[in-house]
Amino acid sequence: MSYALLSLAIGAVLGAFAPIAVPVAYAKLFSVALLASLDSVFGGFRAAMEEKFDNTIFISGFFTNALLAVFLVYVGDHLGIDLYYVALLAFGLRIFQNLAIIRRYFFRKHG
Amino acid sequence: MSSLRRSQISISFVCMVLGFMLTMQFRIAMDQRSSLPYQRTEELSARLLQTEKERDALQEQVAKLEEAAAKRTAEPSSQQTIQELRLRSGQVALTGPGVIVTIDDSKIASKAGDNQNLYIIHDDDLLKVINELRAAGAEAISVNGQRLVATSEIRCAGPTLSVNNVRSAPPYEIRAIGDVQTLENSLRMRGGVMETLQVWGIQLEIQASESVTVPAYKGIGTYQYARPAEEASS
């Protein structure tokens, strides 16, 4: 757990001081990617709780989810379909679902 | 053990990427907050300030030139005439007893099927009030800081009113100098302007004051087309 938090902090510091900035035009895509990544991480957490954690699935899911989400939103933008909100809704719902499940497991373990 | 080790590495890596993305996103959000619309307002307010400065400078110049012209026309009688004319044409800010009438759009919700237009102020509402004030002997009138002179217009410009080609939004403040009692009574008359407007909930507030200041006309006073007709030919 601690190494995960530590690397999160390292990443945060790197992001804060990185000399690159995402152009405003891509801010929307970036936020979708972020949400997808968050979803993957919570999904991984949940899998770990269920003791079904698979490293390959986790890693591949993390990146393909983010990239696919970005790709879909990008294509949707060009086709005039606002997939952005769909992605937000889908990922958001899943994050909350995963959180609920994680909570249940947590209480079953410790309560 | 090695698989645990691998998973640890991958989780740390993923967490690092996530942290990186989180702070990046945070930075984007910060940037956006301080970007376009804000910059636009800043830019506009800066331009407004500059324009106001320019205007003030020009007004000062006008005042100086007029002073110089006044010195040249040393004759006291002509100077008096000029002063009189300036007073009448609204080139001078005036002060005296009068009323300040504030008009605002209706606060009551329009009933279904009612014409919503009846609940907002129109140019003719304002014209009625001003007409009433003039009839009651108002000597100088301004609307939202715009002096009414002989060439002033009052007309709807979208949701705003344009006076002297300057637009302003409600509430409208009409300042009038004249006999306080007469001015006030002319508006409060039974079946008069105030009563009619209040049917639609348009808020009309009259405030009598011992000293009302009406600003000077800020437009240009030169004529482009009209010139004096020759006495002989007419």
Side-chain angles (χ1 to χ4, degrees), chain A residues 8 10 17-18 21 30-31 38 40 43-44 52 58 60 64 80 83 85 111:
Chain A
L8 192 70
I10 292 173
F17 294 104
F30 192 82
S31 57
L38 265 178
S40 300
K52 288 195 297 197
F58 178 61
S60 60
T64 46
L83 287 176
Y85 299 104

Side-chain angles (χ1 to χ4, degrees), chain A residues 3-4 7-8 10-12 14-16 18 20-22 24 27 30-31 33-34 37-38 41 53 55 58-59 62-63, chain B residues 3-4 6-28 31-32 35-36:
Chain A
Y3 57 86
S7 46
L8 192 70
I10 292 173
L14 275 180
I20 47 167
V22 180
V24 180
F30 192 82
S31 57
L34 176 63
S37 315
L38 265 178
V41 168
F53 184 78
N55 196 26
F58 178 61
I59 283 279
F62 181 80
F63 288 106
Chain B
S3 95
L4 185 71
R6 272 231 318 265
S7 74
Q8 273 187 1
I9 290 172
S10 66
I11 288 174
S12 336
F13 179 64
V14 162
C15 280
M16 205 159 88
V17 172
L18 188 70
F20 183 78
M21 285 173 85
L22 273 171
T23 41
M24 282 300 266
Q25 176 71 15
F26 182 69
R27 272 173 56 189
I28 293 174
D31 278 356
Q32 267 179 351
S35 71
L36 280 170

Side-chain angles (χ1 to χ4, degrees), chain B residues 44-59:
Chain B
L44 283 177
S45 60
R47 211 186 294 172
L48 178 68
L49 230 99
Q50 170 139 24
T51 321
E52 275 177 348
K53 246 184 225 163
E54 271 175 29
R55 184 202 62 192
D56 288 347
L58 286 172
Q59 271 177 352

Side-chain angles (χ1 to χ4, degrees), chain B residues 4-145:
Chain B
L4 185 71
R5 182 106 197 104
R6 272 231 318 265
S7 74
Q8 273 187 1
I9 290 172
S10 66
I11 288 174
S12 336
F13 179 64
V14 162
C15 280
M16 205 159 88
V17 172
L18 188 70
F20 183 78
M21 285 173 85
L22 273 171
T23 41
M24 282 300 266
Q25 176 71 15
F26 182 69
R27 272 173 56 189
I28 293 174
M30 293 276 280
D31 278 356
Q32 267 179 351
R33 214 164 299 150
S34 65
S35 71
L36 280 170
Y38 276 79
Q39 275 173 11
R40 182 100 183 110
T41 22
E42 296 250 312
E43 195 185 298
L44 283 177
S45 60
R47 211 186 294 172
L48 178 68
L49 230 99
Q50 170 139 24
T51 321
E52 275 177 348
K53 246 184 225 163
E54 271 175 29
R55 184 202 62 192
D56 288 347
L58 286 172
Q59 271 177 352
E60 217 169 282
Q61 206 178 331
V62 167
K64 259 185 206 158
L65 286 173
E66 276 176 350
E67 216 172 286
K71 260 182 210 157
R72 217 169 289 169
T73 52
E75 266 179 87
S77 67
S78 76
Q79 201 154 337
Q80 205 175 348
T81 322
I82 288 172
Q83 192 59 30
E84 178 91 355
L85 286 174
R86 275 163 55 87
L87 225 88
R88 283 185 174 270
S89 64
Q91 303 284 322
V92 185
L94 298 173
T95 180
V99 291
I100 300 174
V101 183
T102 319
I103 307 182
D104 203 348
D105 282 341
S106 179
K107 282 241 162 62
I108 53 174
S110 58
K111 290 173 214 109
D114 249 1
N115 187 357
Q116 291 211 329
N117 270 330
L118 292 169
Y119 292 88
I120 56 175
I121 304 164
H122 285 284
D123 42 2
D124 48 351
D125 299 329
L126 220 60
L127 279 168
K128 266 183 215 152
V129 172
I130 285 161
N131 209 23
E132 210 59 59
L133 287 172
R134 278 192 169 145
E139 287 169 358
I141 301 177
S142 73
V143 177
N144 274 11

Side-chain angles (χ1 to χ4, degrees), chain B residues 169-204:
Chain B
Y172 301 108
E173 190 197 62
I174 304 172
R175 286 159 176 258
I177 297 177
D179 183 63
V180 176
Q181 207 58 46
T182 320
L183 290 177
E184 209 176 327
N185 288 346
S186 74
L187 294 179
R188 287 195 199 277
M189 195 158 54
R190 231 160 198 285
V193 183
M194 195 169 178
E195 224 176 78
T196 325
L197 288 179
Q198 272 172 346
V199 171
W200 306 109
I202 285 174
Q203 297 160 48
L204 200 145

